Amino acid sequence: FTRPIRELSRVAGSVSRLDFSDRYKGHGRDEFADLGNSINTMASALETTVSDLKTANLQLINDNELKTRQSEARRAFIANVSHELKTPISLIQNYAEGLRENIAENAENRDFYCGVIEDEANKMSILIKKMTMLMQLEAGNEELVIERFDVTELIYGLLQKYRPRFDKNQIRVSAPPDRPVYVWADEFLIENVLSNYLSNALNHVEPHGLISASINEEKSGRIRISVFNSGSRIPEEDINRIWESFYKGDKARTRAYGGTGIGLSVVAAIMKAHRMPYGVINHENGVEFYIELETR
């Protein structure tokens, strides 16, 4: 008579300790069996509830940590934006005051002052455009328009666009074979990616060096588009951080060519939106940046 009572007591004790593995195994159709089945049902329901609560609690912790990181990232982003805009705004203000006070007395000086103002205004315009695109991509507000297009034609168009800078710096240029290679992606955004890669290559290529654009088939069925520039390798301590907003490894060199440190973070955001691989590889004689795209 007491055996089912002791078993019921044991199972109830296990449940009170949040151990839901114990079950009442008595058989029959009496009140003890009914109570045992009720306790078993309650244990299963509590186990599911506790599991859901633990999952929800963990998700809440993760969400709070994510919000904290996002809040810190926003503060850092705003601080970096303020820092990047401070110099051009200051220069524009100073040179505009110089023009107003007629410090530039001759036409040559006035042209120089106006040129500085135009250059700095252009830098701010580029920075704001890139920041806007980055924020839209990271917020998921940028809608991708996936279409089929010839990436070879896109590359040749960009190489032609940069031709004056190649010639000015006496850079050798290698292009992929002039044959159509069709991919599925947002053409406007991929053009932005490759334009960033080519601009980055121009800013870091060695004097009279080589910039090479290539297209290769991957075993995955995708194609890999690479932009290589001869010159110095990226330091290992920087290679995982170059995709961060406003990160500048060689700050002196970045200031020299007017870089904002935001171009590669835009690349990362675009490729993440496409859910396609991207990256950088150090070679003995230079650096290769790449992306991969679907061909079908």
Side-chain angles (χ1 to χ4, degrees):
F1 177 79
T2 60
R3 187 181 301 115
I5 296 176
R6 291 197 303 271
E7 188 173 351
L8 287 168
S9 177
R10 187 196 72 244
V11 174
S14 298
V15 170
S16 70
R17 295 189 299 274
L18 300 182
D19 176 7
F20 305 110
S21 60
D22 202 359
R23 290 291 187 272
Y24 178 74
K25 299 180 176 60
H27 300 285
R29 297 182 180 179
D30 55 13
E31 289 79 0
F32 291 126
D34 290 341
L35 180 58
N37 290 333
S38 296
I39 291 176
N40 288 344
T41 302
M42 179 184 67
S44 297
L46 283 172
E47 184 175 18
T48 301
T49 301
V50 170
S51 176
D52 291 343
L53 284 172
K54 286 182 177 292
T55 301
N57 184 55
L58 182 60
Q59 185 62 48
L60 182 61
I61 292 171
N62 290 337
D63 288 346
N64 287 335
E65 289 180 353
L66 178 61
K67 287 179 180 178
T68 301
R69 289 197 300 269
Q70 288 176 336
S71 178
E72 292 173 352
R74 278 194 293 270
R75 284 196 294 269
F77 190 83
I78 292 169
N80 283 321
V81 170
S82 301
H83 177 75
E84 292 295 332
L85 291 177
K86 186 189 302 180
T87 299
I89 289 173
S90 177
L91 284 171
I92 289 172
Q93 182 179 6
N94 291 336
Y95 278 83
E97 288 174 355
L99 287 172
R100 185 179 60 191
E101 295 173 6
N102 203 28
I103 293 176
E105 297 177 351
N106 56 53
E108 183 179 352
N109 284 340
R110 284 196 297 273
D111 288 344
F112 173 74
Y113 273 51
C114 290
V116 171
I117 292 172
E118 289 174 353
D119 287 345
E120 296 304 320
N122 185 53
K123 287 178 185 176
M124 285 197 297
S125 176
I126 292 171
L127 176 62
I128 290 169
K129 285 179 182 177
K130 288 185 175 182
M131 286 191 306
T132 301
M133 177 177 287
L134 181 62
M135 286 187 290
Q136 288 176 337
L137 286 164
E138 290 184 340
N141 296 329
E142 182 77 25
E143 293 186 6
L144 301 186
V145 180
I146 304 299
E147 54 189 347
R148 187 171 179 263
F149 64 92
D150 181 3
V151 74
T152 304
E153 182 181 358
L154 176 61
I155 291 172
Y156 271 77
L158 286 170
L159 291 176
Q160 188 62 31
K161 172 185 172 182
Y162 283 98
R163 177 61 59 185
R165 290 182 65 186
F166 294 144
D167 294 342
K168 179 182 178 181
N169 296 290
Q170 298 180 321
I171 303 300
R172 293 176 291 124
V173 179
S174 173
D178 190 6
R179 60 178 179 82
V181 177
Y182 291 96
V183 297
W184 289 94
D186 187 308
E187 184 173 5
F188 172 76
L189 294 179
I190 296 303
E191 180 178 1
N192 191 289
V193 167
L194 297 179
S195 181
N196 269 305
Y197 276 178
L198 285 170
S199 178
N200 188 70
L202 268 164
N203 292 327
H204 292 86
V205 67
E206 62 186 3
H208 311 292
L210 169 69
I211 290 179
S212 173
S214 61
I215 301 174
N216 297 290
E217 293 185 7
E218 295 292 297
K219 293 180 180 179
S220 60
R222 305 187 187 111
I223 60 148
R224 173 173 288 195
I225 306 163
S226 300
V227 175
F228 168 84
N229 67 270
S230 59
S232 302
R233 295 157 56 95
I234 299 174
E236 291 302 319
E237 62 269 20
D238 293 335
I239 205 162
N240 291 325
R241 299 195 62 193
I242 58 175
W243 310 101
E244 298 175 9
S245 300
F246 297 103
Y247 183 74
K248 301 173 184 179
D250 189 341
K251 293 180 175 61
R253 185 167 186 174
T254 305
R255 283 195 298 270
Y257 65 77
T260 62
I262 200 172
L264 291 178
S265 59
V266 172
V267 168
I270 290 173
M271 297 313 298
K272 286 176 182 176
H274 279 81
R275 299 185 182 278
M276 286 286 108
Y278 65 96
V280 60
I281 302 171
N282 270 328
H283 295 279
E284 289 297 326
N285 59 336
V287 179
E288 172 193 353
F289 284 88
Y290 69 87
I291 61 172
E292 292 183 12
L293 294 174
E294 298 283 1
T295 58
R296 57 183 182 272

